[in-house]
Amino acid sequence: MRILSSDVRPAETADAEKIARVHWLAWHQVYAGILPHRALHDMISRRNIAWWKSAIASEETLLVLEVQGQPVGYASVGLNRVKALPQEGEIYEIYLLPEYQGLGFGRVLFAEARRLLASLGCKGTICWCFDALDHAGIFFTALGGKPFAFAEEEHGGKVLGKVSYIWE
């Protein structure tokens, strides 16, 4: 049996290409059949390497999960964007390459994202996902998240329900 070592660290500009690859593959796997094809393609295509370099340089914090020294996942975190909700921190995105899902790496990345938000003084964490993503709901619930607020979002003419999960 081979043991895989992992590490979570802040993203660096040199990671942009690898993060773009994770994003491309993960989003195709997660959202195919949920988002209309054209809308999904447009959303993914906007996130090119230049976009990721800009995101890494911005005030949004981007974490990278490395396995055996290779970026295989990322999480972006910052202040809660919905000021009417009491949680101060938000995990905007958390994605892994499909072949690394279900192996415990998501838990590692999630824990580090929450630890970072807490170190920044954020009380409580919120994370949103589409209602149709049963696996995301299972993941967040297994990590102790509680469904809290609901919203709708339109993509390519299709209205999708969103649910937030919270941690105090």
Side-chain angles (χ1 to χ4, degrees), residues 11-18 53 56:
E12 301 169 353
T13 304
D15 297 318
E17 186 175 347
K18 298 276 179 132
K53 285 181 179 179
I56 291 166

Side-chain angles (χ1 to χ4, degrees), residues 17-77:
E17 186 175 347
K18 298 276 179 132
I19 295 170
R21 180 179 180 272
V22 171
H23 174 260
W24 181 270
L25 293 171
W27 277 46
H28 274 290
Q29 187 252 346
V30 170
Y31 297 115
I34 293 179
L35 291 173
H37 177 74
R38 170 73 16 215
L40 176 58
H41 176 75
D42 291 348
M43 290 170 72
I44 292 172
S45 296
R46 279 193 292 269
R47 300 260 190 113
N48 58 27
I49 295 168
W51 189 96
W52 284 106
K53 285 181 179 179
S54 176
I56 291 166
S58 75
E59 290 191 24
E60 178 179 302
T61 300
L62 194 62
L63 297 174
V64 173
L65 170 76
E66 288 184 330
V67 174
Q68 302 298 99
Q70 291 299 312
V72 301
Y74 71 90
S76 60
V77 303

Side-chain angles (χ1 to χ4, degrees), residues 5-168:
S5 64
S6 67
D7 185 39
V8 178
R9 61 172 175 75
E12 301 169 353
T13 304
D15 297 318
E17 186 175 347
K18 298 276 179 132
I19 295 170
R21 180 179 180 272
V22 171
H23 174 260
W24 181 270
L25 293 171
W27 277 46
H28 274 290
Q29 187 252 346
V30 170
Y31 297 115
I34 293 179
L35 291 173
H37 177 74
R38 170 73 16 215
L40 176 58
H41 176 75
D42 291 348
M43 290 170 72
I44 292 172
S45 296
R46 279 193 292 269
R47 300 260 190 113
N48 58 27
I49 295 168
W51 189 96
W52 284 106
K53 285 181 179 179
S54 176
I56 291 166
S58 75
E59 290 191 24
E60 178 179 302
T61 300
L62 194 62
L63 297 174
V64 173
L65 170 76
E66 288 184 330
V67 174
Q68 302 298 99
Q70 291 299 312
V72 301
Y74 71 90
S76 60
V77 303
L79 297 177
N80 180 0
R81 294 172 287 187
V82 181
K83 301 301 179 203
L85 299 177
Q87 294 72 31
E88 294 177 351
E90 181 173 353
I91 299 174
Y92 306 133
E93 296 184 46
I94 183 167
Y95 292 100
L96 298 173
L97 288 173
E99 61 268 30
Y100 288 89
Q101 295 173 14
L103 302 174
F105 294 117
R107 288 177 174 271
V108 171
L109 184 54
F110 181 85
E112 288 301 315
R114 289 215 52 223
R115 192 176 347 270
L116 175 59
L117 288 169
S119 76
L120 298 173
C122 294
K123 293 178 178 61
T125 305
I126 190 166
C127 190
W128 290 86
C129 68
F130 289 120
D131 231 359
L133 297 177
D134 293 334
H135 58 281
I138 291 167
F139 175 73
F140 293 136
T141 301
L143 292 170
K146 306 279 186 258
F148 185 70
F150 300 88
E152 290 183 333
E153 196 170 279
E154 186 270 329
H155 293 279
K158 183 176 180 180
V159 177
L160 297 164
K162 290 175 58 174
V163 60
S164 68
Y165 289 83
I166 60 164
W167 293 262
E168 297 307 324

